[in-house]
Structure formats: C-alpha cells, structure tokens
Amino acid sequence: MERIREVIVVEGRYDKNTISQVVDATVVTLGGFAVFNDKEKLAFLRRLAEKQGLIVLTDSDGAGFVLRNYLKGSLPKDKVKQAYIPDVKGKEHRKRKGGKEGKLGVEGMSPAVLLEALRRAGATFESGAASKSREVPLSKADLFALGLSGGEGSAEKRRRLLKQLDLPEHLTANGLLEALNLLFSREELEALLAKEPTFDKI
C-alpha cells in the first residue's frame, strides 16, 4: 500500500474506511455540514495544512462542492490540493436509496479510481524510505502514563492540554492521540509538557 504524505479530508466515516483501504495516509472526516459551525475543527485542519498539507476529497454532488468551496475559502490555498472523483451513476450497497443526484460518492469508488484522483491532485507518494524514518508513534500506554486517559482527573488534564494546544475540546482520548502524533514528534511533545508542571514525563 502506497503512503501519502498529505492529510486526506473526506466527508464522513464510510469515505474514511474506503480511502484507508487504498492508501496509507492520515484521513480526517468533516462530519458533513457540521464543520460549518465547528471553528475548532477548522483550526485543526489549518494546522494540519501548514504541517503536512491537505487533500480535499469530497463527493461529486452539489453537497460535496458546497463543502469543498467552504474549505477553499477557509484554508491556506497553497497548502491544499483538490482531488475530484468522476460522476458515476449509482448508489452505495449500504444505502437503501441513492443520493438526490443519483451519483456514487467517495465510498462507492474503486481503488483504481481513487488512486488516480489522488495522483491527479498532486498527492505526494512516499517510498518505503519515508516510513522507515518515521519514529515510534505515541501509544495509548503513553497517554495513560501522562495521566491523559483512564485515570482520575484524566478528562480534566486532557481538556487543559487540548486548550493549551488549540485543539477541539471534544476530541476523545483516541482523537487526541491521533492529533498529537500528527502535530508533534515525541521530543517536541516532551518539551511542551515539561513546561506544564502538572504533567508527568513520558
């Protein structure tokens, strides 16, 4: 499976599941139109765009383009690439009836079509060398050791850390883990937490 450097932004979890079976990449969901009222999610996407770059991959229907245009106006243009899927008539197997426009969404596309869409968007495909250089990511055990999950007061500690890092307050422990691994190296995080006396060392 080929690895892509950029973070891929999709509409929902079924799209995420589909993309995750095609390429090795970080995939973030918008939660549909909920993103319009989620300033924290938008701030998170901006940070990811600055750090790794984003590829927006929404459905080819009207709703998909509303989301795409909203992100175009809200994120740094030079850090965002646009991936487009073709108009294909049909409906996804899990749905009882198709969408309003009768088109397949991202989740209904074949792996070959999705790969081609990402290539055309200018996705940065990384060779095996890139994955070797990636350090060991933080784990759930690290979060527990830091008092950020599983123990008394962990929710409050997590809330304070999220605020300190300008991350969405509703991130779960798993979501926090993903965000920390995306935004910081282990050394950077240790240096950051060292400034906060209430956090233990990893």
Side-chain angles (χ1 to χ4, degrees):
M1 192 183 287
E2 295 188 80
R3 174 165 182 80
I4 288 180
R5 181 181 188 279
E6 292 88 357
V7 174
I8 301 174
V9 180
V10 295
E11 291 182 39
R13 61 193 176 98
Y14 291 104
D15 300 329
K16 179 176 180 173
N17 291 344
T18 299
I19 286 289
S20 298
Q21 290 168 40
V22 176
V23 289
D24 175 12
T26 301
V27 186
V28 174
T29 60
L30 293 173
F33 290 157
V35 73
F36 294 158
N37 300 312
D38 194 340
K39 290 190 174 75
E40 290 169 328
K41 172 67 75 77
L42 209 53
F44 181 44
L45 289 173
R46 276 197 201 101
R47 290 182 69 184
L48 291 178
E50 292 294 344
K51 189 172 175 74
Q52 281 178 255
L54 297 181
I55 297 175
V56 176
L57 179 61
T58 59
D59 293 350
S60 61
D61 60 6
F65 273 84
V66 168
L67 285 167
R68 190 184 289 279
N69 290 332
Y70 174 71
L71 294 179
K72 269 186 188 174
S74 307
L75 299 171
K77 288 181 176 52
D78 60 325
K79 303 285 186 183
V80 181
K81 297 172 180 176
Q82 303 289 335
Y84 299 97
I85 58 169
D87 284 341
V88 178
K89 293 289 182 188
K91 75 170 186 67
E92 283 78 18
H93 297 305
R94 69 179 178 86
K95 295 179 179 172
R96 291 181 66 181
K97 60 178 190 168
K100 207 160 45 173
E101 296 176 37
K103 297 175 184 175
L104 285 176
V106 168
E107 68 167 293
M109 293 290 134
S110 70
V113 167
L114 292 171
L115 267 176
E116 182 60 20
L118 292 167
R119 281 204 177 90
R120 283 183 179 171
T124 310
F125 285 88
E126 298 183 332
S127 64
S131 45
K132 279 184 207 157
S133 68
R134 285 170 68 79
E135 59 174 57
V136 178
L138 295 166
S139 66
K140 288 185 179 179
D142 291 324
L143 281 196
F144 185 77
L146 286 165
L148 291 166
S149 71
E152 191 178 335
S154 62
E156 172 59 20
K157 265 192 177 183
R158 204 160 60 240
R159 189 189 64 73
R160 279 192 292 109
L161 180 62
L162 289 168
K163 187 165 185 181
Q164 186 183 343
L165 301 180
D166 292 322
L167 289 170
E169 66 174 324
H170 299 297
L171 269 184
T172 60
N174 284 343
L176 172 62
L177 185 62
E178 183 181 41
L180 292 177
N181 277 320
L182 277 172
L183 296 168
F184 303 99
S185 69
R186 188 175 282 261
E187 288 73 27
E188 286 169 339
L189 186 63
E190 284 178 347
L192 189 78
L193 295 180
K195 297 176 190 164
E196 172 60 80
T198 54
F199 289 110
D200 307 314
K201 292 226 167 130
I202 296 179

